């Protein structure tokens, strides 16, 4: 009995936490349309999240685009289809690479900062004080942060796409001896506009997931500063796992709905 109870307890805890996160998500959706909207808080949080993620995202996107370009360029050269190097690189960066890089930076940098902020407010009992005063902390604090993370994720995805493709172009043309005209002309061979649309959709969903989990962990930390630190770690780990799973589902659905170009 003792062994079975020790096995059931973590599963029960995980399911309870998943239910609470879904409940918070529903509350966020409901309070998003409730007036007054906290526009000032939204702008401040969007600026803060952008300030902690723009530079790391750009720095990660450059080597990422380079690695994708070098790898695909080497593989395609072996297959004798050098004219498609640009198309393959762009497809890999825009459809898969940029949303994933955006998600990791949003979860790692912005998510941990939001969790630490809300967690410190919670252990100082500021959240309880707001509820006593009749202020809804979901509407006042959580909704602006979640929407700010969605907005910044959308913008960062565009930044990663541009920087990644430019890095890929540089490394393919300079280091691998590719021709600039062939690289640019092959963009339209395999890549298509829905690839960019699905990348932006992925980024928005990833930002939403990261925002909800960061806010949930921030509102429910353990006791004391140690609990806040553990909540930050849990935020990053849980968000990473969920983002990769969500990326798998979205990619499978997209590839079923939108046929590959030329197929």
């Amino acid at each position: 009995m003792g062994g079975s109870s020790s096995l059931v307890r973590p599963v029960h805890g995980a399911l309870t936490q998943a239910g609470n996160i879904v409940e918070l998500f529903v509350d966020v959706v409901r309070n998003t349309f409730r007036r007054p909207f906290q526009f000032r808080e939204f702008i401040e949080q969007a600026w803060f999240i952008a300030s902690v993620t723009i530079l790391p995202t750009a720095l990660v996107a450059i080597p990422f685009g380079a690695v994708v370009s070098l790898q695909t360029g080497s593989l395609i050269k072996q297959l004798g289809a050098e004219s498609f190097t640009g198309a393959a690189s762009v497809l890999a960066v825009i459809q898969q690479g940029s949303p994933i890089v955006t998600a990791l930076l949003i979860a790692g940098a912005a998510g941990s900062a939001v969790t630490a902020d809300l967690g410190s407010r919670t252990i100082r009992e500021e959240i309880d004080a707001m509820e006593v005063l009749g202020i809804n902390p979901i509407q006042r604090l959580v909704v602006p942060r979640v929407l700010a993370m969605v907005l910044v994720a959308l913008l960062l995805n565009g930044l990663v796409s541009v920087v990644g493709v430019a890095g890929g172009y540089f490394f393919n043309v300079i280091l691998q001896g590719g021709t600039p005209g062939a690289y640019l002309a092959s963009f339209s061979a395999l890549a298509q506009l829905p690839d960019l649309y699905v990348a932006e959709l992925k980024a928005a969903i990833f930002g939403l997931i990261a925002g909800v989990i960061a806010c949930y962990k921030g509102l429910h930390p353990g006791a004391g500063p140690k609990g806040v630190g553990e909540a930050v770690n849990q935020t990053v780990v849980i968000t990473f796992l969920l983002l990769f799973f969500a990326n798998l589902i979205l990619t499978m659905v997209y590839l079923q709905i939108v046929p590959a170009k030329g197929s």
Side-chain angles (χ1 to χ4, degrees):
M1 285 294 290
S4 62
S5 65
S6 64
L7 189 66
V8 167
R9 196 178 298 115
V11 175
H12 180 267
L15 291 175
T16 302
Q17 191 167 97
N20 291 338
I21 291 172
V22 172
E23 184 182 6
L24 178 62
F25 169 72
V26 173
D27 283 345
V28 168
V29 173
R30 189 186 303 126
N31 283 281
T32 299
F33 303 101
R34 184 173 293 173
R35 295 290 171 266
F37 179 71
Q38 302 297 324
F39 193 73
R40 181 189 178 95
E41 183 82 9
F42 168 71
I43 295 297
E44 289 177 354
Q45 289 302 315
W47 176 254
F48 168 70
I49 292 168
S51 68
V52 298
T53 53
I54 285 178
L55 185 60
T57 302
L59 293 177
V60 169
I62 294 170
F64 185 85
V67 167
V68 169
S69 177
L70 293 172
Q71 193 69 49
T72 54
S74 173
L75 180 63
I76 286 177
K77 194 171 286 185
Q78 293 174 28
L79 298 174
E82 287 94 335
S83 60
F84 288 101
T85 302
S89 301
V90 168
L91 203 61
V93 169
I94 289 181
Q95 197 185 101
Q96 296 297 330
S98 57
I100 287 292
V101 171
T102 301
L104 297 184
L105 268 298
I106 282 285
S112 56
V114 168
T115 303
D117 176 36
L118 289 179
S120 61
R121 290 170 183 249
T122 302
I123 63 171
R124 291 198 305 263
E125 300 182 352
E126 288 182 25
I127 306 297
D128 294 336
M130 290 177 70
E131 291 176 343
V132 169
L133 292 170
I135 301 170
N136 185 351
I138 305 295
Q139 182 189 7
R140 182 68 181 81
L141 299 176
V142 174
V143 169
R145 283 163 172 77
V146 172
L147 294 182
M149 289 181 82
V150 171
L151 174 65
V152 174
L154 285 169
L155 299 177
L156 282 181
N157 185 67
L159 173 68
V160 175
S161 298
V162 171
V163 174
V165 170
Y169 171 85
F170 174 81
F171 280 90
N172 178 258
V173 172
I174 303 299
L175 295 185
Q176 293 185 309
T179 55
Y183 189 94
L184 296 173
S186 66
F187 275 21
S188 59
L190 297 176
Q192 50 188 336
L193 210 50
D195 294 331
L196 183 61
Y197 297 156
V198 76
E200 287 289 291
L201 176 65
K202 281 182 181 180
I205 292 174
F206 294 165
L208 182 64
I209 292 172
V212 170
I213 293 175
C215 290
Y216 173 78
K217 283 295 180 182
L219 293 174
H220 302 89
K226 183 173 180 287
V228 175
E230 291 173 350
V232 170
N233 292 336
Q234 291 170 9
T235 296
V236 176
V237 172
I238 293 172
T239 307
F240 276 16
L241 292 174
L242 281 179
L243 292 182
F244 282 115
F245 183 71
N247 183 56
L248 172 64
I249 300 296
L250 289 168
T251 302
M252 289 170 60
V253 171
Y254 171 72
L255 292 177
Q256 291 297 320
I257 294 174
V258 181
K261 197 166 185 180
S263 62

